Structures are given as C-alpha cells and as structure tokens.
Amino acid sequence: MWGYQQKLKTDLERWRAAGWIDDAGARAIQADVASRRRGVGLPAALAILAAVLIGFAVMSFVGANWQDMPRVLRLGLLTGLLWGAYGLAAELFRRGLDTFGHAAVLAGCAIFGANIMLVSQMYHMDGNAPDVVLVWGAGTLLAGVLLRSNPALAFALILFSVWGMWETGQREAVHWPYLVPWALVSAAFYWQRWEPGVHLSGLALTGFILTYGAIHHSSGGYETVVLIGALIGALSALGLVTSPRLTPVWRGGILYALFIAFAGLFALQFMKSPELGEFLVLSVLALALTLGAVWWGLTADDRRALWLGYFGFSLQILWVYGKTVGTLLGSSVFFLTAGFVVAGLAYFAYRLHQRRDIQEALS
C-alpha cells in the first residue's frame, strides 16, 4: 500500500468527475482504506515514548543499586528484564494490541543497550567504544526482524548511524563498513513494505554520501557527490519504467538524488573558490536542477520534490547574489542567463501541459 493513499485520492476525484462513483461511494472507499492503515497515531507514539522511558528508568534504578547486588542476582535481573519485555511484546502482538507490542519491543531494545553497558562495567571490559553501539544496533535489528517491529528497525538504523558517525569522527575518514548494516536495515524495511522506513534509509544514505564529499573536498569529493546524485536519479528513473511495482522506492530515489546533486553543486560554488566562468556554469546547472525538481513535483504530484525545488531555487538565488554583489557585471550575466533558462523551461512546461490537455480531451 506504499503511496496508495495519495494515488487513491486522485483516482477517486477523477472517477467521481467521470460519473463512475457518487459521493457516498467515494466516502465509503476512503473510510474502508483509512480503517486498514497501520500508521502511527497519538496513542502509539505515547505508548512508544512511555516504553522507552520506563525501560531506562528501570535500568537507572538497577544501576543506582548495582554495587549492593550479588553478581548472580545482577545477571539474573538483567536477563529477566530483557526477556520479560520481549515476552510481553509477543503476547501483546498475539492479542492484536500491535501498538503496545511495538512499545514493549522498544522497551526491550532500550534494556538490551543498558545491559551491554552494565555488563561491560561489571566485568571491566575495555575496547573500542563505538562497538558497544554496534552490538546494541545488531540486537535491536534482530528484535525488529523477529518481531516484525518497524519502530525497532528505525531505532536500529539510528543506532547504526550513530556508530558510523562515531567511527568517522575517530578516524577522520569515511567509515565504509557502515554500508553493511545500512543495507541490512533497508532490506528489512523493504521486507516489511514500510514506506517511512525507506525514506529513513534514503536520509541515512544521503548523509553518508555528503559526509564523503566533505571529507574528500580537496580531492574531488563534491564532484563525486554530484555524479552519485546523477547516477541515483538515472537508475531511479529507469526503475520507474522497468519495475513499476517498486514505484515508491524509485520516487524516493529521485527525491534524494535531486537533493544530493544540488548539495554537491552548492558546495562546489560556495565552499570552494571557482573561477567566474566555472561559477556561472555551476550556478546555472544548480538552478536548472531546482527547476527540474519543481517540474517533477508537479508532474508526479510529489510535494516533497516541489518544496525541495522551491527551497533550493530560493537558496541558490540568495547565495549567488551574496557572492556576486560586489561584481555587478557578474551578477547581471548570471541573472540574465538564469532568466533565459527559466523562460525556456516555462515554455517547455506550457507545451507539455497543452499536449496533456489535448490528450485528455481526445480520450
């Protein structure tokens, strides 16, 4: 049902205008689909937050009385709390209380992380500090897969991302092993058919690619970022044609490809010192990309791409003016060139809409 809600709304309006269904039928269809949604509402959000807080509260209490407990009692208490949370989650799922089941899974994941830290402290284990977060993420991923908990999978991705950023900061280099757990969590999101998870994966991968560009900025890092964005966009556009059943994945790919490519172009203009001619070319390309995002947002009815295009266009114009305000000639050349580009795209959009209107009238 990825993206089904938005598409259904458009289809219902078209079917109603064609006289195929009446208002009562449209409302009945929308009500039926809405009743089958598995979104996270206020009760679910509050239950999840409560579970995490309770999990950490329990572990804080245990930690406060840690030195007064025998070691056997410590291990038994840690194990009992962990499996008690997961057992409660399984029972809640069995009774159909999925919202509270996911909350119990997250509580178990929180307890698991606290267990790792307390056991390491108890046995005076030393090592690479980020590895604790990696093990915590692995356990959370396993719980999310076995119990089919999307919130736990999202938490696992956050933990893996923290691990990757921590390792990157320590090494001052791109931490390529991060892509392995990222791919595993992304595969789990796909297996669950959870569209918000796909976007979380897209955001995480976008951050990783931009980190690569920043670290290698002096050796073609930003240029590589632009090329990666273009490649992701091309593959996603091809996927829309060859594998339409994964349309939400490809639409998300196009969205993040636009963002990545624009971020790379923006960095090349304003975080490096290109010559005026190169700067103008990069600026025109960035503007064309933002207008392409606007066009895609309108054509594909994707508001995220539409607002990305609007924001990118405004940001580009403001920064160009700030950079060239001291060189009026450079400013005039840029805005004149950009004006012609926008005018050409406006004409292209007009002809496209005109052709679409003719095709709809003939059909």
Side-chain angles (χ1 to χ4, degrees), residues 200-246:
L200 285 176
S201 293
L203 287 172
L205 184 61
T206 298
F208 179 83
I209 294 171
L210 296 183
T211 300
Y212 172 88
I215 291 176
H216 297 282
H217 63 90
S218 60
S219 57
Y222 294 136
E223 291 85 349
T224 303
V225 168
V226 175
L227 291 175
I228 291 174
L231 178 61
I232 294 175
L235 292 175
S236 299
L238 180 62
L240 281 174
V241 178
T242 58
S243 185
R245 67 186 183 87
L246 296 178

Side-chain angles (χ1 to χ4, degrees), residues 40 48-49 51-53 55-56 59 82 85-86 101-117 132-145 148-165 178 181-182 184-186 188-189 192 194 196-201 204:
V40 178
I48 288 172
L49 290 175
V52 173
L53 290 172
F56 280 110
M59 297 315 300
L82 178 64
Y86 289 140
H102 291 304
V105 173
L106 275 183
C109 294
I111 293 171
F112 176 69
N115 283 0
I116 297 173
M117 299 173 193
V132 173
V133 182
L134 175 62
V135 175
W136 189 1
T140 302
L141 173 60
L142 182 62
V145 171
R148 306 201 66 163
S149 174
N150 291 329
L153 293 176
F155 186 36
L157 183 60
I158 292 172
L159 290 172
F160 287 133
S161 298
V162 171
W163 166 70
M165 289 187 291
Y178 167 75
W182 173 86
L184 292 175
V185 177
S186 299
F189 285 144
Q192 284 284 83
W194 194 43
V198 174
H199 286 292
L200 285 176
S201 293

